[in-house]
Amino acid sequence: MNKLLYIAKRLVLGVPVILFGLTMTYVILYLSPFDPMTAILGRDSDPQTARQLAISLGLRYPNGDPVPLWIQYKNFLIETTTFDFGQSWVVTRGQSAAQLIWERMPATLWLGTWSVAIALVLGIPLGLYAGLRANTWGDYTASFGGIVWRAMPNFWLAVMLAGLLSAGGLLSFYRGFLIPTDVIGTPAALGNLFGSYSLGGIGIPVPNPYNWAVAFKWILPAALVLGSSSMGNEVRIGRTAVLESINAPYIDTAKAKGLSERVIIGKHVARNAMIPLLPVIMGEFYLLIGGSVLVELIFGIRGLGNLYLSAIFASDVPIIGALTYVFILILVFFNIAQDVAYTIIDPRIGLEGGDD
């Protein structure tokens, strides 16, 4: 019950954060040079048509008077928090913004999931290995690799890798290796990851192994680029955390009790090393899922990051506001997940006092 209360308190504390984020979003959009009438109708629009459009958008009353700013702000909060994002102005004019986001979300989630997986599967073990083998060639190699991956800008690595893997590139054989795929664009197999198996008249989703393989191989180069800097962070911080844990007094106590090296590393060193790594990992979840703008653009992936950039260039305010709200929700969710995960990893963080 205490854990449920703890989670409930974190959820309640997330509400002001969401409201503050939406308020700042509204202020930025209001102060920005975005002009709804120009974006939708063009610069040579008819004044009467522009006036009717302003009325339909809730910017003016039918008599032509401007709607007060505080009412526009209230309507913005109500519509956004209830996921009533309206329709796209420019990107796909007339289409529901919520529907457009829903269509683009699978590509971003697929890219973000594998980016995080690559960073975790490679970064954490390498960091632990470097810390456990400090000042050896294995440590130097892992640390140097982490520094190099961290130092390479994502956009540069994306351009280089896309060029090497494209037709005529040095690594173009990758596209035909095992399963013929491309590396640019959005894999069509994403729409058919699951088939349907009928059991007693009830359709049960069943994974389609071939489509999973195609979608994974297609997205792997972009995921490697997006997860590269995160992997470097985890190697560096993981190594430092392991070294601090190994030299802690409780490790000497564990050795004095006769515990095996495997138990000491698995139960004490690795678990305590995860404490400083946890905020890094949770922060990467948000950055990888919500911050893939350049990678999606370079690899031609029709995801949320690509959509966000297109909406900004086209002054499509409904799409900008909707995506900003989605990213704020993602950020708050991962922050709450981080707080809960702390209580699982570190028993010293109690739930009785809430914030203790």
Side-chain angles (χ1 to χ4, degrees):
M1 186 60 185
N2 287 329
K3 180 170 289 190
L4 293 177
L5 191 60
Y6 179 84
I7 296 174
K9 289 177 67 175
R10 289 297 184 267
L11 290 173
V12 171
L13 290 174
V15 173
V17 177
I18 294 173
L19 292 178
F20 176 77
L22 287 177
T23 300
M24 293 304 299
T25 300
Y26 179 79
V27 170
I28 293 173
L29 290 176
Y30 176 77
L31 296 177
S32 67
F34 295 154
D35 181 9
M37 272 56 73
T38 301
I40 299 174
L41 301 176
R43 296 186 178 276
D44 300 325
S45 59
D46 176 64
Q48 184 63 28
T49 305
R51 177 178 175 178
Q52 292 299 322
L53 178 61
I55 294 173
S56 65
L57 294 177
L59 302 178
R60 290 186 177 275
Y61 290 118
N63 61 4
D65 294 336
V67 176
L69 189 61
W70 70 270
I71 294 181
Q72 295 185 40
Y73 170 68
K74 181 192 70 173
N75 294 336
F76 172 78
L77 284 183
I78 294 174
E79 293 170 356
T80 304
T81 53
T82 57
F83 297 94
D84 182 13
F85 301 132
Q87 296 179 338
S88 170
W89 289 353
V90 183
V91 176
T92 52
R93 183 171 299 179
Q95 184 178 3
S96 168
Q99 180 184 356
L100 188 59
I101 292 173
W102 185 255
E103 292 175 355
R104 297 288 191 96
M105 188 173 292
T108 295
L109 290 179
W110 186 254
L111 171 62
T113 298
W114 288 111
S115 301
V116 171
I118 289 173
L120 294 181
V121 170
L122 296 180
I124 292 179
L126 283 176
L128 296 178
Y129 175 82
L132 294 172
R133 300 290 185 271
N135 301 321
T136 64
W137 281 109
D139 172 29
Y140 298 148
T141 302
S143 299
F144 178 75
I147 293 172
V148 169
W149 278 107
R150 182 67 184 90
M152 286 188 293
N154 277 351
F155 67 88
W156 177 85
L157 184 59
V159 171
M160 293 297 101
L161 195 56
L164 290 173
L165 293 172
S166 61
L170 186 62
L171 302 178
S172 59
F173 68 88
Y174 172 84
R175 297 180 300 121
F177 180 68
L178 295 180
I179 302 174
T181 64
D182 206 338
V183 294
I184 305 297
T186 306
L190 270 180
N192 298 289
L193 292 178
F194 293 92
S196 181
Y197 176 75
S198 179
L199 181 62
I202 301 176
I204 301 176
V206 178
N208 187 322
Y210 180 78
N211 285 347
W212 275 76
V214 170
F216 171 73
K217 183 172 178 285
W218 188 310
I219 213 72
L220 182 59
L224 183 63
V225 170
L226 194 55
S228 60
S229 60
S230 302
M231 182 179 66
N233 278 339
E234 287 161 4
V235 171
R236 179 174 55 86
I237 296 175
R239 178 185 184 276
T240 303
V242 168
L243 288 176
E244 290 178 354
S245 298
I246 287 178
N247 296 321
Y250 61 82
I251 297 297
D252 295 332
T253 304
K255 291 179 179 178
K257 289 181 178 180
L259 296 179
S260 66
E261 183 178 1
R262 178 178 297 181
V263 173
I264 292 174
I265 293 175
K267 186 175 181 180
H268 298 286
V269 175
R271 184 167 185 172
N272 284 280
M274 286 299 297
I275 296 174
L277 272 172
L278 187 60
V280 177
I281 295 170
M282 288 300 178
E284 288 166 359
F285 270 96
Y286 169 71
L287 291 175
L288 294 180
I289 294 177
S292 56
V293 177
L294 290 177
V295 174
E296 288 187 2
L297 181 66
I298 293 171
F299 282 94
I301 300 170
R302 292 173 57 82
L304 295 183
N306 202 332
L307 176 62
Y308 199 56
L309 192 63
S310 299
I312 291 175
F313 286 154
S315 302
D316 200 328
V317 173
I319 300 295
I320 297 173
L323 284 175
T324 303
Y325 179 55
V326 170
F327 292 151
I328 290 172
L329 291 180
I330 293 174
L331 175 62
V332 172
F333 170 78
F334 283 126
N335 282 336
I336 295 174
Q338 174 182 316
D339 291 338
V340 175
Y342 264 132
T343 66
I344 298 173
I345 294 176
D346 190 354
R348 294 171 298 178
I349 301 178
L351 301 179
E352 295 290 341
D355 296 328
D356 297 336

